[in-house]
Short mmCIF file of all heavy atoms in Angstrom, two decimals:
data_model
loop_
_atom_site.label_atom_id
_atom_site.label_comp_id
_atom_site.label_asym_id
_atom_site.label_seq_id
_atom_site.Cartn_x
_atom_site.Cartn_y
_atom_site.Cartn_z
N ALA A 277 -6.88 12.24 14.26
CA ALA A 277 -5.44 11.92 14.19
C ALA A 277 -4.60 12.68 15.14
O ALA A 277 -5.01 13.79 15.53
CB ALA A 277 -4.96 12.14 12.71
N GLY A 278 -3.48 12.13 15.55
CA GLY A 278 -2.54 12.86 16.53
C GLY A 278 -3.14 13.30 17.72
O GLY A 278 -3.77 12.44 18.43
N GLN A 279 -2.98 14.54 18.13
CA GLN A 279 -3.41 15.05 19.39
C GLN A 279 -4.80 14.76 19.76
O GLN A 279 -5.15 14.37 20.84
CB GLN A 279 -3.05 16.64 19.36
CG GLN A 279 -3.12 17.25 20.77
CD GLN A 279 -2.05 16.62 21.75
OE1 GLN A 279 -0.97 16.31 21.31
NE2 GLN A 279 -2.42 16.49 22.95
N LEU A 280 -5.65 14.86 18.65
CA LEU A 280 -7.08 14.68 18.92
C LEU A 280 -7.51 13.28 19.37
O LEU A 280 -8.46 13.10 20.00
CB LEU A 280 -7.84 15.05 17.62
CG LEU A 280 -7.91 16.53 17.32
CD1 LEU A 280 -8.41 16.71 15.84
CD2 LEU A 280 -8.82 17.27 18.17
N ALA A 281 -6.55 12.38 19.05
CA ALA A 281 -6.81 10.94 19.36
C ALA A 281 -6.78 10.79 20.94
O ALA A 281 -7.28 9.72 21.41
CB ALA A 281 -5.84 10.06 18.70
N GLU A 282 -6.17 11.67 21.65
CA GLU A 282 -6.05 11.59 23.11
C GLU A 282 -7.27 12.15 23.82
O GLU A 282 -7.43 12.07 25.00
CB GLU A 282 -4.85 12.32 23.59
CG GLU A 282 -3.55 12.17 22.76
CD GLU A 282 -3.06 10.65 22.90
OE1 GLU A 282 -3.33 10.10 23.90
OE2 GLU A 282 -2.36 10.34 21.90
N GLU A 283 -8.15 12.88 23.01
CA GLU A 283 -9.27 13.55 23.73
C GLU A 283 -10.55 12.67 24.02
O GLU A 283 -10.90 11.85 23.20
CB GLU A 283 -9.71 14.74 22.79
CG GLU A 283 -8.62 15.70 22.61
CD GLU A 283 -9.02 17.10 22.73
OE1 GLU A 283 -10.21 17.37 22.72
OE2 GLU A 283 -8.05 17.96 22.79
N PRO A 284 -11.13 12.86 25.21
CA PRO A 284 -12.35 12.14 25.52
C PRO A 284 -13.56 12.71 24.73
O PRO A 284 -14.45 13.38 25.34
CB PRO A 284 -12.50 12.36 27.06
CG PRO A 284 -11.77 13.62 27.25
CD PRO A 284 -10.80 13.85 26.22
N ILE A 285 -13.62 12.48 23.45
CA ILE A 285 -14.63 13.00 22.60
C ILE A 285 -16.10 12.78 23.01
O ILE A 285 -16.89 13.62 23.05
CB ILE A 285 -14.43 12.57 21.09
CG1 ILE A 285 -13.00 12.90 20.61
CG2 ILE A 285 -15.51 12.90 20.17
CD1 ILE A 285 -12.50 12.22 19.45
N VAL A 286 -16.31 11.51 23.24
CA VAL A 286 -17.74 11.08 23.59
C VAL A 286 -18.24 11.66 24.83
O VAL A 286 -19.31 12.30 24.90
CB VAL A 286 -17.80 9.48 23.69
CG1 VAL A 286 -19.18 9.11 23.99
CG2 VAL A 286 -17.44 8.87 22.30
N ALA A 287 -17.30 11.65 25.87
CA ALA A 287 -17.64 12.33 27.15
C ALA A 287 -18.00 13.78 27.04
O ALA A 287 -18.98 14.28 27.55
CB ALA A 287 -16.58 12.01 28.13
N LYS A 288 -17.09 14.41 26.29
CA LYS A 288 -17.29 15.85 26.11
C LYS A 288 -18.65 16.25 25.46
O LYS A 288 -19.34 17.11 25.77
CB LYS A 288 -16.18 16.43 25.23
CG LYS A 288 -14.91 16.85 26.04
CD LYS A 288 -13.94 17.34 24.99
CE LYS A 288 -12.84 18.22 25.59
NZ LYS A 288 -11.92 18.65 24.60
N LEU A 289 -18.93 15.43 24.37
CA LEU A 289 -20.13 15.60 23.56
C LEU A 289 -21.32 15.42 24.49
O LEU A 289 -22.31 16.23 24.34
CB LEU A 289 -20.10 14.60 22.40
CG LEU A 289 -20.87 15.01 21.24
CD1 LEU A 289 -20.41 16.36 20.59
CD2 LEU A 289 -20.80 13.86 20.18
N SER A 290 -21.40 14.36 25.25
CA SER A 290 -22.52 14.03 26.07
C SER A 290 -22.66 15.17 27.09
O SER A 290 -23.85 15.56 27.30
CB SER A 290 -22.19 12.71 26.94
OG SER A 290 -22.05 11.71 26.04
N ARG A 291 -21.61 15.62 27.66
CA ARG A 291 -21.68 16.58 28.77
C ARG A 291 -22.16 17.93 28.17
O ARG A 291 -23.15 18.50 28.61
CB ARG A 291 -20.31 16.72 29.36
CG ARG A 291 -20.34 17.37 30.84
CD ARG A 291 -19.10 17.08 31.49
NE ARG A 291 -17.90 17.41 30.75
CZ ARG A 291 -16.90 16.60 30.58
NH1 ARG A 291 -16.85 15.45 31.12
NH2 ARG A 291 -15.87 16.97 29.79
N GLU A 292 -21.54 18.40 27.09
CA GLU A 292 -21.80 19.69 26.62
C GLU A 292 -23.27 19.81 26.05
O GLU A 292 -23.96 20.89 26.19
CB GLU A 292 -20.84 20.06 25.54
CG GLU A 292 -20.97 21.43 25.10
CD GLU A 292 -19.76 21.92 24.19
OE1 GLU A 292 -18.72 21.15 24.12
OE2 GLU A 292 -19.90 22.93 23.51
N PHE A 293 -23.71 18.80 25.42
CA PHE A 293 -25.02 18.78 24.79
C PHE A 293 -26.14 18.07 25.54
O PHE A 293 -27.29 18.05 25.03
CB PHE A 293 -24.99 18.41 23.25
CG PHE A 293 -24.11 19.37 22.48
CD1 PHE A 293 -22.78 19.10 22.29
CD2 PHE A 293 -24.65 20.52 21.91
CE1 PHE A 293 -21.92 20.05 21.51
CE2 PHE A 293 -23.87 21.41 21.19
CZ PHE A 293 -22.49 21.11 20.98
N GLY A 294 -25.71 17.42 26.60
CA GLY A 294 -26.75 16.64 27.36
C GLY A 294 -27.35 15.58 26.49
O GLY A 294 -28.57 15.29 26.63
N ILE A 295 -26.66 14.84 25.65
CA ILE A 295 -27.24 13.75 24.92
C ILE A 295 -26.63 12.45 25.21
O ILE A 295 -25.40 12.42 25.63
CB ILE A 295 -27.09 14.03 23.37
CG1 ILE A 295 -25.61 14.36 22.95
CG2 ILE A 295 -28.03 15.16 22.93
CD1 ILE A 295 -25.49 14.62 21.47
N ASP A 296 -27.26 11.37 24.98
CA ASP A 296 -26.69 10.04 25.21
C ASP A 296 -26.15 9.62 23.92
O ASP A 296 -26.76 9.40 22.95
CB ASP A 296 -27.78 8.99 25.62
CG ASP A 296 -28.37 9.30 26.96
OD1 ASP A 296 -27.65 9.88 27.82
OD2 ASP A 296 -29.56 9.10 27.22
N VAL A 297 -24.78 9.53 23.86
CA VAL A 297 -24.00 9.14 22.72
C VAL A 297 -23.78 7.65 22.78
O VAL A 297 -23.33 7.11 23.76
CB VAL A 297 -22.71 9.92 22.49
CG1 VAL A 297 -21.93 9.55 21.38
CG2 VAL A 297 -22.95 11.42 22.56
N ASN A 298 -24.14 6.95 21.78
CA ASN A 298 -23.93 5.51 21.80
C ASN A 298 -22.71 5.22 20.82
O ASN A 298 -22.76 5.60 19.61
CB ASN A 298 -25.26 4.90 21.27
CG ASN A 298 -25.16 3.31 21.30
OD1 ASN A 298 -24.30 2.78 21.94
ND2 ASN A 298 -26.05 2.65 20.52
#
Side-chain angles (χ1 to χ4, degrees):
Q279 195 59 37
L280 286 168
E282 316 292 334
E283 302 223 346
I285 295 160
V286 176
K288 274 182 159 175
L289 205 61
S290 300
R291 202 162 47 228
E292 189 170 345
F293 293 93
I295 52 179
D296 291 329
V297 180
N298 184 19

